[in-house]
Amino acid sequence: MKKILLTGANGYIGKRILPVLINKEYDVYAVVRDPNRIKIPKEIAQQVTLLKADLLNEDDVNNLPTDIDLAYFLVHSMSGGSKFSNTEQKIAENFKHYLDKTQAKQCIYLSGISNDDDLSEHLKSRLDVEEILSKSKVPVTILRAAIIIGSGSASFEIIRDLTEKLPLMIAPKWIDNYCQPIAVKDVIYYLTEIIDKEKALNQIFDIGGPEVLTYKQMMLEFAKERQLKRYIYTVPVMTPKLSSYWLYFITSTSYPLAQNLVDSLKNNAVCEIKGIDECVPLNKTSYNDALKLAFQKIEQNAVASSWKDAMLTDKINNVFSGMIEIPKHGCLKDERRQKIEAGKVNEVLDKIWSIGGDNGWYYMNWAWKIRGLIDKMVGGVGVRRGRRSPTDLAVGDALDFWRVILADKKEKRLILYAEMKLPGEAWLEFSIQEDKNGEFYVNQNATFRPLGVSGRLYWYSLVPAHFFIFGGMLKKIVKT
């Protein structure tokens, strides 16, 4: 059985390609920085070997198995700030050296369309990675995609945010640039069907959908699909910085990602390097059909992955790496407990698992929104990220301005870690426990580890608000 090494296995594309590879009866080594952040379905778990490795760490990379037949390189750092290109090159160098030690016959890399002369830093970095990987002894197949449309994709969510929230848009001139959007299912098809194609070895292919559209046309088509009337006007004076702020405040993107996106949008993303159809014939999905498919997945609560779930800062990675338990010393706490009927345990648990996003925080939801707006104003993530699913939570999920670091429904325990801008660190924990008398209680604990005097002042200034917000939230959770 063919052995495949899949890097970025808990990323947006990685999570979707994994079950497809298993269905094709491959053995897969799934490489992740933290095994706690990936949930492998039981029915395919026997064909997946989870490997913990940070590709920036040469020792970790050197310890990866060499008896592989094929490798996927699905790693990028575009949301990681100004030094992301250095990070990407270092990772690519490490991976190239690793490939040279393996018996692999092919490496597949998903890159970005980069046919213009004056490229953005993001696209230049993609080209640098392509060049590094191409120096390997292992033949490399490079697929360059335009923006990807699918439930949970960054492009889809940004278009959705802009179109659904703004009846009238005064937009930058880059919305008149051209793009060839591609459905995520077509990307997965190309990535999995290109395996072992002799014509694809040491080749580069542009992949896109059947239509070439401007970003403005894409938003207007989205509005038509959602039966919305939208008016978009362009202005030539909006600087890249203003454009970045425009995207950051209106959509759920982070500011570093907004900067890199705006920088890239100056380039047309239209397929020029042909040949993919000779290797992998495909009846391509139209833009409108890609939108329909995305909303079907959302309505069916079947969003397999989200771009937000892969965006972890070093701070969050450190939390995942060894601090699932909430610290006890040097912390300030708001602890609450309320009894529930034994027959309503599952109902209350489902309510806890549905908190945030469109469901809200059950009490004084306007206060949570204001806190999110303040967070956005100071460069934080805000609450626009929402949640991947209205009823399901998994470790690593983004949940408004929290990150799920423990979601154990069997043990009836959920822990959230705050990603908002704070003078310290914050956790919010929910659990349901049975005491020795057979009575059930819901525990709701907010924990804050302050950073200096400013952290303590911050906490104590919010004690009156916490009294109402946390108290009211628990009562609403228990009230079924």
Side-chain angles (χ1 to χ4, degrees), residues 348-364:
V348 172
L349 190 63
D350 286 341
K351 206 164 183 181
I352 292 171
W353 245 249
S354 302
I355 202 165
D358 291 338
N359 300 322
W361 292 82
Y362 301 138
Y363 186 75
M364 289 178 67

Side-chain angles (χ1 to χ4, degrees), residues 154-422:
S155 304
F156 173 80
E157 294 295 345
I158 288 170
I159 292 169
R160 183 183 183 184
D161 278 346
L162 291 172
T163 309
E164 292 188 351
K165 292 174 182 175
L166 299 175
L168 172 66
M169 274 184 256
I170 307 299
K173 62 182 180 180
W174 51 254
I175 69 163
D176 290 323
N177 288 349
Y178 288 96
C179 181
Q180 201 163 341
I182 181 170
V184 66
K185 79 181 192 72
D186 290 355
V187 175
I188 301 302
Y189 186 82
Y190 281 133
L191 285 169
T192 53
E193 291 298 316
I194 204 75
I195 294 174
D196 287 341
K197 302 291 186 190
E198 287 288 335
K199 290 182 179 179
L201 300 180
N202 291 319
Q203 296 296 319
I204 298 172
F205 303 107
D206 287 348
I207 58 173
E211 305 128 311
V212 175
L213 303 168
T214 65
Y215 295 100
K216 180 178 179 179
Q217 288 173 324
M218 289 167 64
M219 285 189 279
L220 290 175
E221 285 298 315
F222 185 101
K224 189 186 296 184
E225 181 65 35
R226 301 298 285 168
Q227 299 182 342
L228 299 169
K229 277 195 172 184
R230 293 296 182 260
Y231 303 92
I232 305 174
Y233 302 95
T234 59
V235 291
V237 293
M238 195 174 285
T239 66
K241 192 164 188 177
L242 282 174
S243 295
S244 301
Y245 280 122
W246 183 70
L247 268 187
Y248 170 63
F249 281 111
I250 294 170
T251 73
S252 56
T253 183
S254 67
Y255 185 69
L257 183 57
Q259 280 183 304
N260 291 317
L261 283 173
V262 167
D263 190 29
S264 297
L265 291 171
K266 71 181 181 183
N267 299 119
N268 290 315
V270 179
C271 297
E272 293 183 11
I273 303 176
K274 310 296 182 181
I276 188 64
D277 292 328
E278 295 178 17
C279 292
V280 183
L282 174 65
N283 184 16
K284 301 178 183 68
T285 307
S286 70
Y287 175 67
N288 287 86
D289 285 344
L291 293 178
K292 287 184 176 75
L293 287 169
F295 278 106
Q296 282 175 15
K297 293 295 184 183
I298 292 168
E299 289 161 6
Q300 294 165 5
N301 190 18
V303 180
S305 61
S306 169
W307 67 282
K308 292 169 282 194
D309 300 335
M311 288 176 57
L312 295 187
T313 63
D314 290 337
K315 181 180 177 183
I316 297 296
N317 277 316
N318 290 336
V319 170
F320 277 115
S321 66
M323 205 160 55
I324 296 299
E325 289 297 329
I326 297 172
K328 297 178 180 178
H329 304 292
C331 295
L332 303 168
K333 296 178 179 289
D334 182 291
E335 298 179 324
R336 298 174 188 273
R337 190 170 189 243
Q338 194 156 330
K339 185 178 177 181
I340 57 172
E341 297 175 23
K344 293 187 176 181
V345 168
N346 289 333
E347 193 173 346
V348 172
L349 190 63
D350 286 341
K351 206 164 183 181
I352 292 171
W353 245 249
S354 302
I355 202 165
D358 291 338
N359 300 322
W361 292 82
Y362 301 138
Y363 186 75
M364 289 178 67
N365 204 47
W366 56 269
W368 292 89
K369 289 180 179 179
I370 290 173
R371 181 64 184 88
L373 179 61
I374 293 170
D375 192 53
K376 272 280 188 181
M377 296 295 289
V378 297
V381 295
V383 294
R384 286 202 180 101
R385 298 189 307 177
R387 47 182 292 157
R388 173 182 56 85
S389 161
T391 57
D392 179 56
L393 288 175
V395 172
D397 278 1
L399 175 54
D400 291 341
F401 44 50
W402 302 90
R403 181 73 63 174
V404 180
I405 62 171
L406 179 68
D408 191 333
K409 209 165 187 180
K410 186 178 179 181
E411 294 295 323
K412 303 177 183 63
R413 190 173 179 220
L414 174 68
I415 301 179
L416 309 177
Y417 180 82
E419 289 189 292
M420 67 192 89
K421 295 284 186 179
L422 290 170

Side-chain angles (χ1 to χ4, degrees), residues 2 19 42 143 179 330 374 431:
K2 192 180 289 292
K42 289 181 180 178
L143 302 182
C179 181
I374 293 170
S431 64

